[in-house]
């Protein structure tokens, strides 16, 4: 298979690398009135305020007016609603009121412990998010929010910081996008993937680049298989140094990488043996290098590797 045929295979795998979309290249961050928010922040708006009012009213009523016949499961459900609404003390009081003989007692006990840990962790993450925002560390803002426990009231408090950080990060994402397309045009898919991972998926550019992750990973794997095949070809003619150079180029995040590591160990051993034989040849201690290599193949079981279906270079 020729280089042109491999290029056609890559092109068939997905559309050719294109220029950055005009809407991404020309739009300023401030012109994104409807930024796509992370999933963990979707749905927080005016409805959240109404939810809080209902949850608070219902929770306070339930705290003092739950009938004796109410089950522990119902109490625990109400306590969870209070907890998500931000009524920490009321939630704990409701959970603690579940009778010890209730089927929900053990679950409520575990929930109380978890709620305490998550609540104080969320409070700490909120402070860290606020500080990161004030210091202009936009990536840290999103990272702190990602690590925050799933408590609605705390996520709502963090929402303004996220909305402020995303436009700032979009400016950087646009710059990285240009480099991604340049590397992909050079068929450096490993480098392109590394840059894509630096673009926060919460930004508009990050959202649009997610399909490229699949495309570039497929093309990266094609390259890895080509490099492995070339290493086999060099080993077959006992050019172990050349084989090792090909193997060293296989990216760690490909399925081919582990197989390449096994061959690296094997070819390093064979290269050492080859050098040892060559030294003996120079000293006149063996008749010929060919006889020694033939003996080595018999005793060590030379195996350059399975000949794969040919994959041409890019």
């Amino acid at each position: 298979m020729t280089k042109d045929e491999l290029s056609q295979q890559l092109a068939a795998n997905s559309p050719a690398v294109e220029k950055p979309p005009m809407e991404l290249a020309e739009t300023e961050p401030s012109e994104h009135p409807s930024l796509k928010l992370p999933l963990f922040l979707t749905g927080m708006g005016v409805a959240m305020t109404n939810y809080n009012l209902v949850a608070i009213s219902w929770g306070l009523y339930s705290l003092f007016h739950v009938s004796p016949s109410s089950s522990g499961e119902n109490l625990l459900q109400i306590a969870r609603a209070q907890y998500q609404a931000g009524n920490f003390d009321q939630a704990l009081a409701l959970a603690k009121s579940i009778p010890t003989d209730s089927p929900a007692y053990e679950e409520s006990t575990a929930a109380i412990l978890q709620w305490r840990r998550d609540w104080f962790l969320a409070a700490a993450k909120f402070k860290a998010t606020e500080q990161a925002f004030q210091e202009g560390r936009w990536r840290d803002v999103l990272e702190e929010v990602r690590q925050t426990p799933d408590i609605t009231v705390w996520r709502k408090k963090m929402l303004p910081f996220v909305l402020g950080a995303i436009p700032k990060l979009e400016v950087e994402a646009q710059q990285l996008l240009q480099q991604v397309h340049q590397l992909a045009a050079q068929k450096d898919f490993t480098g392109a993937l590394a840059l894509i991972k630096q673009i926060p998926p919460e930004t508009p550019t990050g959202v649009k680049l997610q399909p490229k992750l699949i495309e570039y990973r497929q093309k990266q794997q094609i390259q890895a298989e080509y490099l492995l095949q070339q290493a086999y070809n060099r080993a077959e003619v006992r050019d172990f140094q050349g084989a090792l150079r090909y193997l060293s180029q296989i990216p760690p995040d490909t399925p081919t990488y582990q197989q390449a590591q096994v061959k690296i160990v094997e070819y390093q051993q064979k290269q050492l043996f080859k050098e040892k034989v060559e030294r003996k040849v120079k000293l006149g201690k063996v008749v010929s290098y060919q006889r020694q290599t033939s003996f080595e193949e018999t005793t060590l079981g030379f195996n350059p590797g399975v000949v794969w279906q040919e994959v041409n270079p890019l």
Side-chain angles (χ1 to χ4, degrees), residues 42-59:
T42 303
M44 294 183 183
V46 177
M48 178 61 195
T49 302
N50 295 332
Y51 170 80
N52 282 344
L53 293 175
V54 173
I56 292 172
S57 301
W58 172 245

Side-chain angles (χ1 to χ4, degrees), residues 160-187:
F161 299 131
V162 174
L163 293 177
I166 286 179
K168 305 293 185 181
L169 289 169
E170 176 63 13
V171 175
E172 180 182 349
Q174 286 286 327
Q175 297 172 352
L176 291 173
L177 178 65
Q178 298 290 337
Q179 300 177 43
V180 167
H181 287 295
Q182 290 173 4
L183 291 175
Q186 300 167 9
K187 297 182 173 59

Side-chain angles (χ1 to χ4, degrees), residues 4-302:
D4 292 337
E5 290 173 336
L6 179 62
S7 297
Q8 292 175 2
Q9 181 181 357
L10 289 173
N13 190 47
S14 65
V17 178
E18 69 282 1
K19 295 181 179 179
M22 293 301 295
E23 64 271 17
L24 288 181
E26 298 176 356
T27 304
E28 294 295 329
S30 60
E31 296 175 1
H32 289 282
S34 57
L35 289 171
K36 183 177 179 62
L37 297 178
L39 291 177
F40 53 71
L41 292 172
T42 303
M44 294 183 183
V46 177
M48 178 61 195
T49 302
N50 295 332
Y51 170 80
N52 282 344
L53 293 175
V54 173
I56 292 172
S57 301
W58 172 245
L60 291 175
Y61 174 84
S62 302
L63 180 61
F64 298 107
H65 299 283
V66 171
S67 65
S69 61
S70 296
S71 66
E73 288 82 357
N74 288 338
L75 283 173
L76 185 57
Q77 183 178 1
I78 296 170
R80 286 197 179 99
Q82 289 289 298
Y83 181 74
Q84 290 293 329
N87 302 314
F88 181 68
D89 293 334
Q90 290 91 330
L92 293 186
L94 279 169
K96 290 178 180 179
S97 70
I98 296 176
T100 56
D101 58 350
S102 170
Y105 177 75
E106 291 186 4
E107 184 180 358
S108 66
T109 302
I112 290 172
L113 294 176
Q114 187 66 47
W115 290 349
R116 289 183 186 275
R117 287 194 295 265
D118 288 352
W119 187 268
F120 292 112
L121 176 59
K125 288 297 181 182
F126 173 79
K127 291 182 179 179
T129 302
E130 184 178 32
Q131 183 175 356
F133 185 85
Q134 292 172 350
E135 296 175 358
R137 293 184 284 110
W138 313 120
R139 288 180 178 273
D140 290 342
V141 169
L142 297 187
E143 186 60 31
E144 294 294 346
V145 174
R146 294 188 194 109
Q147 297 177 9
T148 301
D150 188 13
I151 305 174
T152 304
V153 65
W154 285 110
R155 292 291 178 83
K156 180 191 175 186
K157 290 181 178 181
M158 292 177 170
L159 180 58
F161 299 131
V162 174
L163 293 177
I166 286 179
K168 305 293 185 181
L169 289 169
E170 176 63 13
V171 175
E172 180 182 349
Q174 286 286 327
Q175 297 172 352
L176 291 173
L177 178 65
Q178 298 290 337
Q179 300 177 43
V180 167
H181 287 295
Q182 290 173 4
L183 291 175
Q186 300 167 9
K187 297 182 173 59
D188 181 5
F189 300 111
T190 299
L193 285 168
L195 286 181
I196 290 178
K197 292 177 182 178
Q198 296 180 33
I199 298 176
E202 296 88 351
T203 61
T205 297
V207 171
K208 293 186 178 183
L209 274 178
Q210 293 309 301
K212 286 294 181 183
L213 284 172
I214 299 175
E215 174 189 338
Y216 292 165
R217 282 170 183 159
Q218 291 173 343
K219 292 181 176 180
Q220 182 190 48
Q221 178 58 22
I222 292 175
Q223 288 180 325
E225 292 174 359
Y226 163 75
L227 292 170
L228 183 61
Q229 179 64 61
Q230 292 303 305
Y232 286 165
N233 294 344
R234 299 316 306 162
E236 191 172 11
V237 296
R238 298 174 181 81
D239 178 12
F240 301 114
Q241 291 283 27
L244 289 169
R245 283 194 294 270
Y246 279 112
L247 293 174
S248 66
Q249 299 176 50
I250 296 177
D253 53 348
T254 59
T256 310
Y257 180 76
Q258 291 301 326
Q259 190 172 359
Q261 295 306 297
V262 173
K263 286 299 178 182
I264 285 176
V265 175
E266 176 185 338
Y267 293 167
Q268 285 174 340
Q269 293 175 347
K270 294 184 183 300
Q271 176 62 26
L272 291 175
F273 184 87
K274 177 182 175 182
E275 293 173 356
K276 180 180 178 180
V277 171
E278 289 174 344
R279 287 194 297 269
K280 289 183 177 181
V281 169
K282 291 180 180 179
L283 294 174
K285 293 183 178 180
V286 294
V287 177
S288 68
Y289 169 69
Q290 286 76 13
R291 291 183 181 179
Q292 285 295 327
T293 53
S294 176
F295 172 76
E296 183 269 340
E297 291 175 12
T298 303
T299 56
L300 296 183
F302 175 73

